[in-house]
Amino acid sequence: MTVKAFASQADLEEKRVTFERLSQHAWAYTAEGDPNTGIVIGRDAAMVIDTQATPVMAADVIRRIREVSDVPIKYVLLSHYHAVRVLGASAFKAEGLEQVIASEATLALIRERGEQDKASEIGRFPRLFRNVESVPAGLTWPTLTFNGRLTLDLGGVKVEMFSPGRGHTAGDTVAWLPGERVLFSGDLVEFDATPYCGDAHFADWPATLDAIAALNAAALVPGRGPALKGAEQVAAGLSGTRAFVSELYAAVQSGVKSGEELKAVYQRTMAALRPKYGHWVIFDHCMPFDVTRAYDEAGGMVHPRIWTAERDVEMWKALEGA
């Protein structure tokens, strides 16, 4: 019997990067299902939404920005706290960085579980963190936080930042260009990529997606997967994410209601979802984490438990072991 490699430890193949202009001021940096970065470039400043996992990886984002603009990259927005999204931030200091922006809810999560999450994600994603020595000691700390909504003018383009609701985490923040109807969703939306739900709020996520849909975006940069262009593609990204989250949670709720143990619920949920979603990027990586969190929430645990490198491995062995 073949033992499934832990998380993404077997995912060592390089991905092809696409740097794509979506509107007058918006670009998407995508890489075949790896974490995406969004870019907004105004007359006076640029903003980067999510920074890649390490400064070495962020350097490629910078190189591509410099092919189209030499304005200072004054702002980094953290869509949420996960290490794979934030630990590249230091690379932008030499490019004019003035503020690292996050919601107050994201700051609270960094304080509560940032160190544990950093160790956890480095263990899960060896390819993305292969240059981890380039990450400065400590965590990526926001220098500007907000509740509600924050709007910045980059020169000719306004960026609105706000939380449409809980979903992927309790602190998810989106960036919205109302004049061009471009949305950067972070991991609230994925496309042809499995939503990671280890820190999710399943009961809230569908309503959060409804709030995103109400924006009527002309283009959307998901957390993973290609940029979505036009109403049809945007709708597909939203409906696919909603279906996965809802179907997984319903399956787990049924098992919890029946009194089933976690491993039995996991095996049944995997069998139910694999035919429809098994081809999505990081499906096998995410599902043990997703089902475990859904099991906790369905059992009444509203606030997600903290993942640590040790807990990750223990959970994986319990669910994937013989």
Side-chain angles (χ1 to χ4, degrees):
M1 179 178 178
T2 303
V3 177
K4 187 186 297 183
F6 171 65
S8 288
Q9 289 191 351
D11 178 11
L12 302 177
E13 182 180 345
E14 292 300 315
K15 307 299 183 182
R16 181 177 60 85
V17 170
T18 298
F19 185 63
E20 183 176 12
R21 190 170 192 169
L22 302 177
S23 68
Q24 182 180 357
H25 297 97
W27 280 258
Y29 180 101
T30 65
E32 299 183 311
D34 274 0
N36 293 337
T37 293
I39 300 98
V40 184
I41 302 175
R43 182 180 59 251
D44 305 320
M47 173 184 289
V48 166
I49 300 100
D50 294 330
T51 70
Q52 299 291 307
T54 67
V56 169
M57 296 190 72
D60 189 58
V61 177
I62 294 168
R63 179 180 67 81
R64 292 169 189 269
I65 293 173
R66 290 297 172 238
E67 290 175 353
V68 298
S69 176
D70 60 0
V71 301
I73 304 171
K74 292 185 179 181
Y75 306 105
V76 160
L77 173 65
L78 310 181
S79 69
H80 59 287
Y81 74 94
H82 287 152
V84 75
R85 299 289 179 180
V86 309
L87 292 183
S90 63
F92 297 93
K93 291 180 180 179
E95 302 299 322
L97 181 62
E98 294 181 0
Q99 300 282 8
V100 176
I101 305 168
S103 67
E104 286 284 349
T106 288
L107 176 59
L109 289 167
I110 294 172
R111 287 171 173 158
E112 178 191 47
R113 58 184 66 199
E115 287 287 358
Q116 296 96 321
D117 177 73
K118 178 180 178 181
S120 169
E121 293 202 41
I122 288 171
R124 296 185 207 172
F125 294 104
R127 177 172 55 80
L128 298 181
F129 285 103
R130 65 180 178 273
N131 300 116
V132 71
E133 69 279 357
S134 67
V135 178
L139 301 173
T140 297
W141 290 101
T143 59
L144 174 62
T145 58
F146 67 96
N147 283 312
R149 188 177 296 255
L150 175 66
T151 301
L152 291 176
D153 189 334
L154 306 185
V157 57
K158 289 186 177 180
V159 183
E160 297 181 359
M161 292 155 279
F162 61 95
S163 173
R166 298 191 303 187
H168 176 66
T169 73
D172 296 311
T173 299
V174 301
W176 170 238
L177 277 56
E180 298 171 21
R181 293 175 46 226
V182 177
L183 182 73
F184 301 90
S185 71
D187 283 325
L188 283 170
V189 182
E190 312 286 21
F191 189 69
D192 283 347
T194 309
Y196 172 74
C197 310
D199 304 295
H201 293 266
F202 282 93
D204 294 352
W205 204 332
T208 299
L209 294 172
D210 290 343
I212 290 173
L215 294 169
N216 192 28
L220 186 153
V221 181
R224 290 176 181 263
L228 305 175
K229 294 163 286 185
E232 186 175 343
Q233 288 188 9
V234 170
L238 290 165
S239 63
T241 302
R242 182 186 290 106
F244 176 87
V245 169
S246 299
E247 291 169 25
L248 186 149
Y249 193 43
V252 173
Q253 284 179 305
S254 175
V256 170
K257 186 176 181 180
S258 298
E260 296 178 18
E261 295 294 328
L262 174 59
K263 186 167 183 176
V265 173
Y266 171 66
Q267 291 173 335
R268 185 168 50 77
T269 304
M270 281 287 283
L273 269 63
R274 185 179 291 282
K276 185 174 179 180
Y277 303 108
H279 65 286
W280 280 8
V281 173
I282 66 171
F283 178 82
D284 287 300
H285 173 148
C286 288
M287 283 296 289
F289 296 93
D290 292 3
V291 173
T292 299
R293 169 55 193 152
Y295 190 88
D296 282 351
E297 184 172 339
M301 188 178 295
V302 175
H303 192 59
R305 286 190 284 161
I306 296 174
W307 291 101
T308 66
E310 294 76 20
R311 183 186 170 211
D312 290 357
V313 173
E314 290 172 3
M315 177 276 297
W316 194 272
K317 289 179 178 177
L319 297 187
E320 290 292 347

